[in-house]
Amino acid sequence: MELFRIVWRDYRWAFVGVILLSLASAGLGIGVIAFINQRLLAAFADPWRVLPLFLGLIVLLLVVTLASQLALTTLGHYFVFRLRGQLIKRIMDTDIERVEQIGGARLLASLSTDVRYITVAFVRLPELVQGGVLTVGASLYLGWLSPTILGVTALWVAATVVVGMRMVTWVYQHMAKLREVEDRLYADYQSVIEGRKELALNRDRAERLYREVYTPNADAYRHHIVRGDTYHLSAINWFNIMMLGAIGVVFFLANGLGWASAQVATTFSLTLLFLRAPLIQAVGAVPTLINARVAFDKISSLDLAEYREAFGHSALRHDWQELTLEQVSYRYPDEEARPGFAIGPIDLTLKRGEVVFLIGGNGSGKSTLARLLTGLYQPQAGCIRVDGRPLQEEDWTRYRQHFSAIYTDFHLFDRLIGPAGESPDTALVEEWLGELEMQHKLDFEGDRITNINLSQGQRKRLAMLLAVAEQRDLLLLDEWAADQDPQFRRVFYRELLPQLRALDKTLVVISHDDHYFDQADRLLEMREGQLHELIGEERIAASRDAVARVGRQAPV
């Protein structure tokens, strides 16, 4: 299974060391039983000589067992640290289209539930190994004492294992279904948390969400977890009781049928009692390994990018003068009977230092074009050229390093960084704190902003500060001014855009503020997935009343 493959690949020698300690613990356990049989069950003349040896074996067994468990626990923590880190990095490296298809709920479920399942399985794995080794070692010892009794006992234990493993199979079936339900529950949690304002205003919607969406999913979770636990507990109790039954069979064969002495029967009984706990632990470890298998299947189904150490840093940016979209097209996947929305083919050339405004109605394709331009989406047809050279697969990470962007659904980070990830230019930050009128709104601890609970307009100003500090060549602003008051909106168009241009930035501004279209070098419009440049009378008309122009567009 996948867990064994990863352990053998990444933690081979450390895990071998832990297994050797587990084997030593198992061997010492069998040695204690043999010592009891050879020295304590038989008559002995000098008890004060035997007792220290016995206590010494017990102490040694305690030390070795504790050492194996501590080594495994330490290794388990390193394992989960690396596994979670690699999963986070794979999400970062995965194309935006794929991340959006997966959805935040499934990703959160894998980062929390799946990683936890795999971690528990890693910790419980040696229990399975130790139980198996103890069983084999003890069987060899018992076979030396009485092969016939061992044969009957082995058949009894084998039947016990077969029935128990059948119950474990049922556990797996319910765990697989349970993991599917957990994805839906995470989506419900997301709806409750992110939709808290709307749910507070509309209690009918809150009730329907609770009763018709969350409750059925929670009930399905309860059903499968109860069934899974029932079969798991049944398997453990089955093993417990059948091992006690095996002791009765041993004494029947020894005393009733005369197959062995009472001493041998007692040794068999002690060994079976000793094996009962490791066998139950081994059976208990099986469901955790089953959960890990389900978790690995879920992580694999995410179809994330392969793990790699490198990030592709900002220092690798091109010294470009012209970006060209050539016959670029993109179509979203079909949704049931409705075909996916498409844009293109689009031809667009941006020259360094230009200020370009983009307008268009809702659903016209502006945001999709913005994602294509910034390299978040890759064209399904056509290509993007940098100074005439078409981008290849290995160029996309480098290409994206030219852009800073503030989308309408932006995430606000709390740290300022410079152009190559270092601390930002202090003078530049101080200047733009004043330009954005945020110098008395923010508190800092080094480069970290300690108070980001701001109004939406202020959050966008802070996002602008972060973007300026990055000192990227191109800045995309998606309806940035929409949440600003009229006075600061004018400041943005009349003062901030010229200052950004003076910083040698190429600006792409999505906007419907027709009063300020004169600030743009070029005015572009998206209509039903097609891009048009407005010049002459068209630009003059749009500058007079862009809202009316957008309203006349046919719906998509």
Side-chain angles (χ1 to χ4, degrees):
M1 66 184 301
E2 184 71 10
L3 180 60
F4 286 98
R5 188 185 69 81
I6 293 178
V7 168
W8 190 250
R9 183 192 67 198
D10 298 335
Y11 303 92
R12 180 177 305 174
W13 298 116
F15 193 73
V16 166
V18 171
I19 293 299
L20 289 176
L21 282 173
S22 299
L23 294 178
S25 175
L28 282 170
I30 297 171
V32 169
I33 293 175
F35 185 88
I36 292 172
N37 178 54
Q38 298 292 328
R39 307 295 296 273
L40 296 182
L41 289 179
F44 48 88
D46 188 0
W48 297 111
R49 181 181 178 185
V50 174
L51 182 61
L53 293 175
F54 177 70
L55 293 178
L57 279 175
I58 293 296
V59 171
L60 183 60
L61 176 61
L62 175 64
V63 171
V64 173
T65 302
L66 181 60
S68 67
Q69 292 174 344
L70 287 175
L72 178 65
T73 299
T74 302
L75 184 59
H77 287 306
Y78 278 106
F79 175 79
V80 69
F81 168 78
R82 183 170 180 178
L83 178 66
R84 183 177 283 118
Q86 289 184 349
L87 186 55
I88 287 286
K89 182 61 166 58
R90 291 177 64 194
I91 293 173
M92 289 180 173
D93 292 342
T94 300
D95 290 338
I96 296 297
E97 299 108 305
R98 180 57 192 160
V99 173
E100 291 176 349
Q101 290 172 5
I102 297 169
R106 287 183 64 190
L107 292 173
L108 287 172
S110 285
L111 285 168
S112 55
T113 303
D114 291 334
V115 171
R116 184 177 70 249
Y117 283 164
I118 294 169
T119 304
V120 172
F122 185 92
V123 173
R124 299 292 298 275
L125 181 59
E127 293 180 2
L128 185 63
V129 175
Q130 189 177 35
V133 171
L134 272 174
T135 301
V136 173
S139 297
L140 293 174
Y141 178 65
L142 294 177
W144 177 71
L145 292 176
S146 176
T148 53
I149 293 182
L150 175 63
V152 174
T153 306
L155 290 174
W156 180 280
V157 173
T160 301
V161 170
V162 168
V163 175
M165 293 309 295
R166 179 58 182 165
M167 295 180 184
V168 168
T169 301
W170 294 334
V171 173
Y172 170 73
Q173 293 173 354
H174 284 284
M175 290 299 103
K177 294 176 181 177
L178 183 69
R179 188 57 189 79
E180 296 293 335
V181 175
E182 284 186 314
D183 280 346
R184 300 199 296 270
L185 279 175
Y186 269 90
D188 296 341
Y189 302 155
Q190 199 171 26
S191 295
V192 170
I193 294 171
E194 295 181 0
R196 58 192 180 276
K197 296 185 292 294
E198 292 80 2
L199 295 176
L201 294 174
N202 191 326
R203 302 309 291 169
D204 295 325
R205 182 180 296 279
E207 182 177 8
R208 292 194 66 173
L209 175 63
Y210 180 81
R211 299 192 186 282
E212 299 178 16
V213 180
Y214 163 75
T215 300
N217 290 333
D219 186 61
Y221 183 93
R222 177 194 57 79
H223 169 79
H224 291 299
I225 195 69
V226 168
R227 291 294 186 276
D229 285 347
T230 298
Y231 290 126
H232 179 212
L233 293 173
S234 298
I236 291 177
N237 286 320
W238 168 260
F239 268 90
N240 241 332
I241 294 169
M242 292 302 287
M243 292 298 286
L244 290 175
I247 294 173
V249 170
V250 167
F251 276 104
F252 172 77
L253 295 175
N255 297 334
L257 301 182
W259 286 14
S261 65
Q263 181 178 345
V264 170
T266 302
T267 303
F268 262 85
S269 301
L270 286 174
T271 304
L272 290 173
L273 286 173
F274 176 71
L275 287 178
R276 186 177 65 170
L279 278 176
I280 290 175
Q281 286 180 340
V283 173
V286 171
T288 67
L289 297 175
I290 290 172
N291 286 339
R293 176 182 168 184
V294 175
F296 275 117
D297 289 343
K298 293 297 294 184
I299 291 176
S300 178
S301 71
L302 297 177
D303 194 22
L304 298 172
E306 291 296 324
Y307 174 76
R308 61 180 185 269
E309 289 282 350
F311 276 84
H313 292 290
S314 305
L316 301 176
R317 293 199 293 263
H318 305 86
D319 184 17
W320 68 280
Q321 296 299 319
E322 186 176 271
L323 301 181
T324 303
L325 278 64
E326 185 177 284
Q327 290 293 292
V328 166
S329 297
Y330 186 88
R331 177 182 290 276
Y332 290 94
D334 295 343
E335 297 180 2
E336 298 179 355
R338 178 178 298 179
F341 175 67
I343 71 168
I346 288 174
D347 291 301
L348 172 64
T349 298
L350 292 181
K351 297 186 181 297
R352 193 178 186 111
E354 282 188 319
V355 178
V356 177
F357 280 21
L358 177 63
I359 66 173
N362 292 335
S364 62
K366 300 188 305 299
S367 295
T368 305
L369 176 59
R371 282 170 163 78
L372 286 166
L373 179 62
T374 54
L376 296 182
Y377 290 176
Q378 294 186 25
Q380 296 168 347
C383 68
I384 297 179
R385 297 178 181 271
V386 178
D387 292 334
R389 178 182 177 272
L391 295 180
Q392 305 300 320
E393 186 63 34
E394 63 273 12
D395 295 325
W396 285 103
T397 299
R398 184 178 181 183
Y399 172 75
R400 286 191 287 264
Q401 304 315 300
H402 291 285
F403 290 88
S404 291
I406 305 175
Y407 298 101
T408 53
D409 57 348
F410 71 99
H411 177 82
L412 187 60
F413 291 94
D414 64 352
R415 290 186 183 275
L416 292 163
I417 64 172
E422 78 284 12
S423 293
D425 184 330
T426 303
L428 182 66
V429 171
E430 289 293 336
E431 177 187 352
W432 277 84
L433 276 171
E435 298 293 345
L436 294 166
E437 300 179 9
M438 296 291 288
Q439 64 269 46
H440 303 302
K441 302 289 185 181
L442 301 176
D443 298 318
F444 292 86
E445 287 184 359
D447 297 333
R448 188 173 75 88
I449 300 131
T450 59
N451 57 325
I452 60 173
N453 294 320
L454 307 166
S455 69
Q456 184 67 0
Q458 291 173 334
R459 285 168 56 83
K460 282 192 172 182
R461 296 189 201 183
L462 177 53
M464 176 74 80
L465 179 66
L466 268 64
V468 169
E470 291 173 357
Q471 300 185 40
R472 299 293 178 89
D473 308 328
L474 293 105
L475 178 59
L476 184 140
L477 302 172
D478 191 351
E479 298 286 2
W480 187 90
D483 295 294
Q484 306 300 326
D485 59 70
Q487 181 178 354
F488 197 82
R489 186 177 302 184
R490 186 180 188 283
V491 170
F492 167 69
Y493 285 108
R494 300 297 187 195
E495 299 178 22
L496 298 188
L497 287 185
Q499 292 184 47
L500 289 169
R501 186 176 191 173
L503 293 174
D504 196 28
K505 293 186 183 297
T506 303
L507 304 173
V508 178
V509 182
I510 300 177
S511 173
H512 291 118
D513 292 326
D514 46 36
H515 295 303
Y516 303 106
F517 285 176
D518 60 308
Q519 297 298 307
D521 297 321
R522 298 164 62 193
L523 183 62
L524 308 178
E525 182 180 19
M526 286 294 292
R527 305 176 198 159
E528 301 180 25
Q530 299 296 317
L531 182 66
H532 306 270
E533 182 164 1
L534 304 182
I535 58 176
E537 290 298 327
E538 280 191 311
R539 174 164 179 166
I540 294 172
S543 299
R544 283 198 300 264
D545 199 347
V547 175
R549 182 181 183 85
V550 168
R552 290 196 299 270
Q553 293 184 14
V556 176

